[in-house]
């Protein structure tokens, strides 16, 4: 069954809807009498509002309300103590300081902070009225530059972020070959195509309907319920489709809660869709990070010591943390390892996880350094990694549940044509262009959380699957379909999935590459339960299979049949009729990580990225001319959507490596390239043909499908592969992303 | 965005008459730049005169060359047979700009009139002498990676962002305009201006004047043309540096040459001195390098754009190498 056989490539089940406009995104929903909200943002990064003139705006045509810190409607639950999970009241600053709610005070904590929310009967009128709100400020000196504030770094609380060391932390210093290098990544903004926002309307005194842009409807349901101190049952949240999330939808943002409050106040549904410009300041970003790697190796290419320090930015009013140094702890066989992770509070909006989160940041440093060291050692970068390969997790001293990274290196190397790589940088030329090859690896924790799923098998052989999970694009619906098909043999086209609604059974939010494992397990479990009910029914007296053992039976194509002899069978419809049932309706809860196996093994997904680049040394232009990504993430449930994930990772990775950077003019604390003409995500012309390879071997322990997540690993490490290829092409090592032409010309 | 009036006209006379003397009325062509500026609050016209119904979109042969209507779409020009055959540099430059969707909307006149992409110009909360004279130049001492290295002033270091204009200035185009005082022709090189003390003025068009067409004289450059655009991503990005090169070759000798650069100045920058130097010289990398040095004589960086001092001459050499190879 699913674990032992590869899955066929089925089409994305919602593909047709998406390309024909049938898939509805939050802003496309309508509620009668909807009003529109537009946010006015602060023009300074720090200080207080001296005056706020809203008169003109309030008097503009169609305006229903101008809400500021002087008249914001109450959010009663936000007076409650903080819960620290991003769904209750926004967590406060860890060590004193000002907390941030929204429109709750005249203090400005970051550029773009909402100072007014203008509501009118049409979007255009709200937009115009918002332009009439005029503020003056008492400015205070702000700090928005991470590099100038590194000494303010603090170690965040929690065991995950504590300084780590094993063996002798200083061992790298006395190794025969040493490397010290600093790496920086800039602020990156997620920029999904769909803008953020919410549509909320109160359908009763204590009842609200919310169309959100969230990666978890249940999380948003909880956030709204807590904010307004109402029963979760009375909060209905719907997000079936999302036009990309990449992490931005992993929390319910304060302005979205404020919209719910305003809708209650004015007695009309209110829709907010922030502008592209506001996407830079109101919904998080990948924090800028400065990292130092120290590495020591012996002459045989064996790692002696490794140390990784990372410092990243956060807001003054809230801590944001991620696993930037995690990979360094367990990726390679090295006896002496230390890591430090610090965050610096700046006068900036708070960051949020962005695809591959901190691991992508950390992998850029670690995997660049591995390449630098390989070069010093005159070793092929793959060979260097193989000499430090480990079958057991050196951080936790336990085996990996499943790791096929050697195979992945080999397959990727073959596909890119690694043997064409010249060890001597700058020695491979094609006319005016230099050619280079680079590789890197990536890894991300694999886990299984708890979720509930419902399956309804109908007499006509159709199957309905339900779970509240939001499909943010990876193909969750398709994976659910495939898993159910594998258990119950219902043809794919007869399976319907319903998801993205808080009225459906509980699922965690879509993030951290866990959903195929988590929701998939629940689907597997509930379908197994349906199957068991069927085989039980089939073996009862009065059926053609009476007296047989349920375990010897199979369910497929509308029949229960004998495993060994498929001519002995009974139709599911007949079984239901006999039992006087119209449907078989089961709901099952799958628990997260309940198996002891999950403590015995370290579970990770792994990836390897290979690229070929062409660099024009005269202009500094870098083009990725070939890319190969290999995923070692257990059994692949849905090969087509998995490949899409990987191609998306390459597109995002090229952006991270070559083009993406949100620039702040620190004199003003403001972004200067806050639009998509100036903030460069990679476009189609930047992304070459990408070969995706999956190892597709089941992880024996993680879950019944043997499947692990792959959303993050598709990106993690990719930027390093590009930087390494650029070095191979030119001999220039760029440690400061993105690798734009000016940097190559500067270091030339 | 302000409330504004919208009127349509169908002939040049009506368009010119509709324009008042102040800048509260503006022509609307493809709208791909003007509407953005209005949305960002950079421009707030009270009246828009939609000129797209004026029949000025033809591309025709004239006694001396080609006449391109001011309302011809960028795509139509780039793909026009006579343009591709006689002025491939113009096709290449147009196709290097923006995206297909934008080029389908954008007009020749609008392209010439597009404003700088300087971030400070676009953000009304920032200082900018071009948007609000006297407030200072945000880019000097700030984010000026995209900015000028030639012909800038201490009031403004913005660049003109057009690709098309680089080809037009290189190809000795003439701009025909009509206004309240009648018609006149402006050599392309004199259409745009340097910032000096009045960076709010991008060009020499007078209030109420309408661009009618652009004339291109026939030349012998079709066989050896190249437009090189160096940018931060492979497509859909403004030039860091661009070079338009068109040559007439006789064997390996440069008989005649036109060179212009984008991404370096407040106007499309013609490299007249370098052209003079190249005429009659052999097409070798060494001569190209010398020409590039000549072109860069008075160049000056402003910090973040210092790399252009290397990229620009290198790009001139690259463009010349490619153009002289294409025969
Ligand atoms: C995201 C983006 C990327 C872009 N990238 C590039 C690029 O890489 N390279 C490039 O060259 N360009 C680029 N552009 C700019 C594009 O080329 C211009 O926006 C376009 O050419 C403007 O033409 P339009 O007809 O739309 O002008 P409009 O926006 O209609 O008008 C622009 C100005 O010209 C005036 N005007 C228009 N026609 C006339 C006329 N006949 N007489 C007098 N005045 C007139 C208008 O009053 C207005 O002030 C980009 C634009 C965008 C939005
Ligand atoms: S360079 Fe010119 S356009 Fe840019 S800020 Fe300075 S004055 Fe304004």
């Amino acid at each position: 069954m699913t674990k032992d056989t590869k899955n066929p490539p089925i089409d994305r089940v919602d593909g047709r809807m998406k390309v024909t406009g049938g898939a509805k995104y939050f802003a496309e929903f309508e509620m009668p009498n909807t009003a529109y909200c537009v946010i006015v943002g602060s023009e300074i990064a720090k200080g207080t509002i001296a005056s706020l003139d809203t008169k003109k705006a309030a008097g503009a045509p169609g305006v229903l309300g101008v809400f500021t810190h002087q008249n914001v409607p109450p959010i009663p639950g936000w007076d409650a103590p903080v819960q620290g999970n991003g769904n209750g009241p926004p967590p406060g600053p860890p060590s004193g300081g000002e907390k941030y709610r929204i429109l709750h005070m005249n203090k400005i904590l970051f550029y773009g902070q909402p100072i007014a929310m203008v509501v009118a009967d049409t979007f255009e009128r709200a937009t115009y009225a918002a332009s009439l709100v005029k503020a003056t400020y008492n400015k205070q000196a702000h700090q928005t530059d991470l590099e100038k504030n590194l000494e303010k770094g603090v170690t965040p609380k929690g065991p995950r972020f504590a300084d780590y060391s094993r063996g002798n932390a200083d061992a790298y210093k006395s190794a025969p070959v040493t490397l010290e290098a600093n790496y920086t990544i800039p602020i990156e903004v997620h920029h999904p195509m769909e803008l953020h926002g919410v549509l909320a309307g109160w359908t009763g005194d204590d009842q609200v309907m919310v169309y959100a842009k969230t990666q978890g409807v249940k999380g948003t349901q909880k956030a709204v319920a807590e904010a307004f101190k109402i029963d979760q049952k009375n909060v209905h949240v719907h997000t079936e489709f999302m036009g990309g999330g990449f992490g931005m939808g992993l929390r319910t943002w304060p302005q979205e809660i404020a919209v719910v409050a305003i809708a209650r106040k004015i007695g009309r549904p209110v829709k907010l869709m922030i502008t592209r410009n506001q996407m830079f300041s109101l919904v998080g970003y990948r924090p800028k990070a400065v990292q130092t790697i120290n590495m020591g190796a012996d002459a045989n290419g064996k790692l002696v010591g490794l140390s990784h320090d990372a410092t990243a930015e956060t807001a003054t009013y809230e801590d944001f943390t991620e696993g930037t140094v995690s990979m360094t702890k367990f990726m390679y066989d090295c006896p002496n390892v230390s890591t430090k992770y610090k965050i610096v509070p700046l006068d900036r909006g708070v960051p949020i996880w962005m695809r591959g989160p901190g691991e992508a940041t950390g992998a850029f440093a670690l995997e660049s350094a591995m390449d630098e060291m390989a070069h010093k050692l005159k070793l092929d970068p793959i060979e260097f990694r193989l000499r430090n390969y480990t079958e057991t997790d050196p951080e936790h001293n336990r085996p990996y549940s499943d790791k096929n990274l050697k195979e992945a290196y080999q397959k990727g190397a073959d596909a890119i044509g690694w043997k064409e790589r010249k060890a001597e940088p700058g020695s491979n030329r094609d006319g005016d262009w230099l050619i280079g090859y680079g590789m890197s690896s990536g890894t991300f924790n694999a886990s299984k959380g708890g979720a509930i799923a419902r399956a309804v098998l109908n007499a006509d052989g159709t199957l309905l699957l339900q779970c509240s999970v939001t499909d943010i694009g990876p193909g969750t619906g398709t994976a659910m379909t495939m898993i159910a098909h594998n258990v119950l043999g219902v043809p794919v086209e007869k399976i319907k999935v319903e998801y993205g609604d808080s009225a459906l059974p509980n699922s965690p939010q879509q993030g951290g590459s866990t959903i195929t494992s988590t929701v998939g397990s629940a689907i597997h479990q509930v379908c197994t339960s349906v199957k068991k009910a069927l085989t039980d029914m089939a073996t009862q007296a009065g059926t053609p299979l009476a007296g047989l053992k349920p375990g010897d039976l199979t369910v497929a194509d509308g029949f229960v049949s004998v495993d060994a002899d498929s001519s002995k069978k009974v139709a599911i419809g007949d079984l239901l009729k006999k039992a006087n049932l119209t449907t078989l309706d089961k709901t099952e809860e799958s628990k997260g990580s309940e198996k002891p196996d999950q403590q015995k093994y370290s579970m990770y997904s792994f990836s390897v990225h290979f690229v070929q680049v062409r660099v024009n040394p005269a202009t500094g232009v870098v083009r990725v001319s070939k890319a190969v990504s290999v995923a070692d993430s257990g059994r692949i449930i849905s090969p087509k959507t998995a490949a899409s994930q990987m191609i998306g990772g390459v597109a995002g990775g090229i952006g991270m490596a070559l083009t993406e950077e949100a620039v702040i003019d620190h004199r003003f604390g403001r972004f200067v390239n806050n639009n998509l003409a100036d903030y460069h995500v990679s476009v189609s012309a930047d992304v070459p043909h990408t070969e995706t390879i999956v190892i597709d071997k089941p992880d024996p322990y993680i879950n019944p499908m043997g499947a692990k997540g792959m959303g993050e690993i598709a990106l993690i490490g990719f930027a390093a592969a590009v930087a390494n290829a650029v070095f191979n092409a030119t001999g220039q090592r760029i440690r400061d992303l993105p690798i734009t032409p000016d940097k190559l010309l500067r270091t030339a | 965005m302000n409330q504004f009036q919208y009127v349509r006209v169908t002939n040049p006379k009506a368009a010119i008459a509709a324009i008042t003397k102040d800048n509260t009325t503006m022509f609307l062509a493809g709208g791909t730049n003007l509407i953005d500026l209005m949305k960002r609050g950079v421009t707030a016209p009270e009246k828009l005169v939609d000129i797209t119904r004026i029949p000025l979109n033809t591309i025709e042969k004239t006694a001396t060359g080609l006449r391109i209507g001011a309302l011809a779409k960028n795509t139509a020009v780039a793909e026009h047979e006579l343009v591709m055959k006689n002025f491939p540099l113009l096709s290449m430059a147009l196709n290097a700009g923006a995206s297909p969707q934008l080029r389908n909307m954008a007009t020749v006149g609008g392209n010439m009139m597009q404003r700088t992409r300087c971030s400070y110009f676009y953000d009304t909360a920032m200082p900018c002498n071009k948007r609000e004279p006297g407030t200072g130049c945000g880019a000097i001492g700030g984010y000026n990676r995209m900015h000028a290295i030639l012909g800038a002033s201490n009031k403004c270091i913005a660049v003109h962002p057009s690709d098309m204009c680089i080809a037009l200035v290189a190809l000795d185009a003439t701009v025909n305009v009509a206004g309240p005082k009648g018609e006149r022709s402006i050599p392309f090189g004199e259409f745009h201006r340097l910032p000096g003390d009045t960076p709010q003025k991008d060009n020499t068009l007078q209030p109420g004047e309408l661009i009618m067409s652009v004339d291109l004289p026939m030349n012998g450059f079709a066989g050896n043309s190249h437009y090189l655009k160096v940018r931060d991503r492979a497509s859909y990005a403004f030039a860091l540096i661009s070079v338009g090169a068109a040559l007439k070759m006789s064997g390996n000798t440069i008989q005649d040459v036109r060179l212009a650069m984008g991404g370096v100045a407040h106007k499309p920058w013609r490299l007249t001195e370098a052209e003079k130097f190249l005429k009659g010289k052999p097409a070798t990398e060494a001569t190209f390098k010398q020409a590039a040095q000549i072109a860069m004589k008075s160049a000056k960086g402003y910090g973040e754009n210092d790399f252009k001092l290397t990229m620009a001459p290198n790009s001139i050499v690259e463009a010349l190498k490619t153009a002289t190879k294409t025969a």
Side-chain angles (χ1 to χ4, degrees), chain A residues 128 618 665 667 670 672 681 686, chain B residues 1 119-120 123 138 233-234 314:
Chain A
Y128 175 62
D665 184 332
R667 297 172 304 170
R670 290 167 69 89
V672 284
V681 299
D686 293 298
Chain B
M1 202 189 266
S119 311
Y120 301 90
D123 188 339
R233 60 182 167 190
N314 286 0

Side-chain angles (χ1 to χ4, degrees), chain A residues 277-293:
Chain A
N277 180 324
Q278 290 169 337
M279 292 284 279
F280 284 81
S281 46
L282 292 180
V283 284
Y285 53 91
R286 191 197 295 285
K288 183 177 170 105
V290 175
Q291 305 177 68
T292 304
I293 298 264

